[in-house]
Amino acid sequence: MAGNDLSAPLGLGKRRYLNLPLGLIGAGLATVLVTTALVWIGVVEDPLGGEPMATVPLERSVDGLSSRDFGVVEIRPSLENKGQNGTGSPGETNEPLGPRFEPKPPTETENGPHPAKVAVSGVGGLSFRPDARLIEPGPHGPMPKVSDGGLRPLDIYARPASQTYTAVPKIAIIVGGLGLSQTSTQAAIERLPADVTLGFAPYGASLDRWMQHARRDGHEILLQLPMEPFDYPDNDPGPHTLLVSHNTKQLNERLSWLLSRMTNYVGVMNYMGARFSATDTSLAMLLEGITERGLMYTDDGSSSRSKAEAIAKGLRTPFSQADLVIDDVPRPAEITARLLQLEGTARAQGVAVGVASALPVTIEQLSAWSKDLEERGLQLVPISASIDRTSR
């Protein structure tokens, strides 16, 4: 009896063990093994599997060009650069980690607009990354140049003007002084029509960021160059002002600093500079350098003594000149009157150019004025569409 009493619970335990769902348990174990194997294969196929990875904006890259111009590049530690403990941690490497930086410039074309002018973000947007063929390293940063194939920054960065109504009078508006005030700059970029050209001062902060913002919104860009007025230095345009006393070397040195402040602009426009623009030798040196770099020159029309048009014609510099300043008197009624005057000029000569500052009242008036411009039989165009209008 005693032996039978002891064997009874053992038999019951055995039967319970045999009744467990062994099939489900086996299937679960198999699934875990297969999943582990797949994960392991995935890791083994990537020699850097499990290594730390970071995506960061680089401040400077090859040939003196800012990587901000080409977007964000990826940095990952290589097997060769692992530290002595084999972890590959950036703080323990024997050699600095290098970026995998391979900008691919667009293919050069012979006919028609370059693909870089095609919209890249949103309706009417323009490319905000500089074309690598149109940049060369300078002493102060990247500078514009004509490509080996003869393409100019003016050709690539210009905003295409609508050719739907070729006989319609055209108006180009330039709003300058941008980059100095964040509020004014943002308002001008976001509130003004894309065909309004924006002029940036070389002294502004975050010019590259503002350039990208403006180009994404479709605006053509000019870089303003400070030039010597008659009452200099009492009236000083700022550091690196171009002076009539400069020889060729001194002028080129200051010009190289100014031109490297930003990229993707179609040309330059004077800031002040009544004396400089009235001096043949100085202005000729400037326009020759501008022409060689494939840029246009715009005279803001503020000085009646400017010789820019005649010298530009002799050097074959792409040229345009403003007909009037829109906000000389920054009051709504006065700005409206100036805009009506500009419309009359456009109807009389086919193309008219007006310049203005990025004042809140100016931006407000321009925004309202432009809304029904086409209904009044006029077309707003970028400044590049007004080049050499006197020869048309």
Side-chain angles (χ1 to χ4, degrees):
M1 286 296 293
N4 291 336
D5 291 339
L6 292 173
S7 63
L10 291 174
L12 180 60
K14 185 175 182 180
R15 286 194 300 273
R16 288 177 178 175
Y17 175 76
L18 293 174
N19 289 333
L20 291 175
L22 298 179
L24 292 176
I25 294 174
L29 291 173
T31 301
V32 171
L33 291 174
V34 171
T35 302
T36 302
L38 290 175
V39 171
W40 175 252
I41 291 173
V43 172
V44 169
E45 287 183 343
D46 181 5
L48 301 177
E51 295 286 357
M53 181 180 71
T55 302
V56 297
L58 297 180
E59 292 299 326
R60 185 66 59 180
S61 64
V62 295
D63 295 333
L65 302 183
S66 171
S67 64
R68 294 193 305 269
D69 300 332
F70 298 89
V72 175
V73 297
E74 178 181 304
I75 300 179
R76 297 187 66 177
S78 63
L79 294 177
E80 293 79 3
N81 282 339
K82 284 188 177 182
Q84 294 180 355
N85 59 3
T87 62
S89 173
E92 299 171 329
T93 55
N94 295 324
E95 298 179 1
L97 302 179
R100 298 192 301 190
F101 180 66
E102 299 178 357
K104 297 180 179 179
T107 304
E108 190 157 340
T109 59
E110 296 180 357
N111 302 308
H114 191 275
K117 292 167 65 174
V118 179
V120 294
S121 61
V123 178
L126 301 174
S127 172
F128 55 87
R129 292 188 174 90
D131 191 316
R133 299 163 305 165
L134 305 179
I135 290 180
E136 65 181 4
H140 305 287
M143 296 181 63
K145 71 166 188 174
V146 177
S147 76
D148 293 338
L151 289 175
R152 305 170 298 177
L154 174 59
D155 302 319
I156 302 304
Y157 302 138
R159 174 180 172 82
S162 173
Q163 301 298 324
T164 305
Y165 308 104
T166 55
V168 171
K170 297 171 175 56
I171 296 178
I173 300 290
I174 304 168
V175 174
L178 299 182
L180 300 175
S181 164
Q182 177 172 335
T183 302
S184 297
T185 302
Q186 185 167 348
I189 293 173
E190 296 180 353
R191 297 195 58 193
L192 295 176
D195 281 305
V196 171
T197 301
L198 303 181
F200 283 83
Y203 312 121
S206 305
L207 285 182
D208 186 69
R209 176 170 62 89
W210 286 124
M211 176 276 291
Q212 294 186 30
H213 190 179
R215 297 281 295 179
R216 284 191 183 101
D217 279 25
H219 294 281
E220 198 168 87
I221 293 174
L222 291 176
L223 178 65
Q224 294 179 276
L225 302 181
M227 300 181 189
E228 181 180 354
F230 280 110
D231 53 352
Y232 180 87
D234 294 334
N235 190 8
D236 190 348
H240 301 277
T241 293
L242 304 179
L243 305 176
V244 297
S245 60
H246 287 156
N247 57 34
T248 303
K249 181 179 180 181
Q250 292 169 325
L251 182 71
N252 288 335
E253 169 62 24
R254 291 204 171 189
L255 187 60
S256 68
W257 186 91
L258 294 166
L259 295 181
S260 65
R261 294 308 91 197
M262 61 189 302
T263 61
N264 290 57
Y265 50 91
V266 298
V268 300
M269 181 174 71
N270 64 296
Y271 173 68
M272 301 176 66
R275 183 180 184 186
F276 191 94
S277 63
T279 307
D280 296 59
T281 305
S282 300
L283 189 59
M285 283 193 297
L286 171 63
L287 293 187
E288 185 176 1
I290 293 300
T291 307
E292 289 176 351
R293 294 195 174 276
L295 303 170
M296 71 174 292
Y297 181 81
T298 301
D299 189 301
D300 70 359
S302 60
S303 174
S304 60
R305 300 172 63 177
S306 174
K307 299 182 178 180
E309 183 175 1
I311 295 176
K313 185 176 181 180
L315 294 173
R316 297 186 178 181
T317 305
F319 175 79
S320 185
Q321 181 170 339
D323 295 286
L324 56 84
V325 179
I326 296 169
D327 54 356
D328 254 347
V329 182
R331 291 197 295 265
E334 297 292 339
I335 293 174
T336 299
R338 284 288 197 168
L339 289 171
L340 290 176
Q341 182 181 347
L342 193 65
E343 291 183 20
T345 302
R347 290 189 172 96
Q349 61 188 31
V351 181
V353 178
V355 296
S357 301
L359 301 172
V361 63
T362 304
I363 294 173
E364 181 70 28
Q365 293 303 115
L366 284 174
S367 178
W369 166 80
S370 63
K371 289 180 180 178
D372 59 349
L373 192 63
E374 291 186 1
E375 297 176 8
R376 301 198 303 276
L378 296 160
Q379 181 184 356
L380 194 62
V381 296
I383 190 61
S384 62
S386 71
I387 292 175
D388 301 331
R389 51 196 158 127
T390 56
S391 62
R392 294 179 182 179

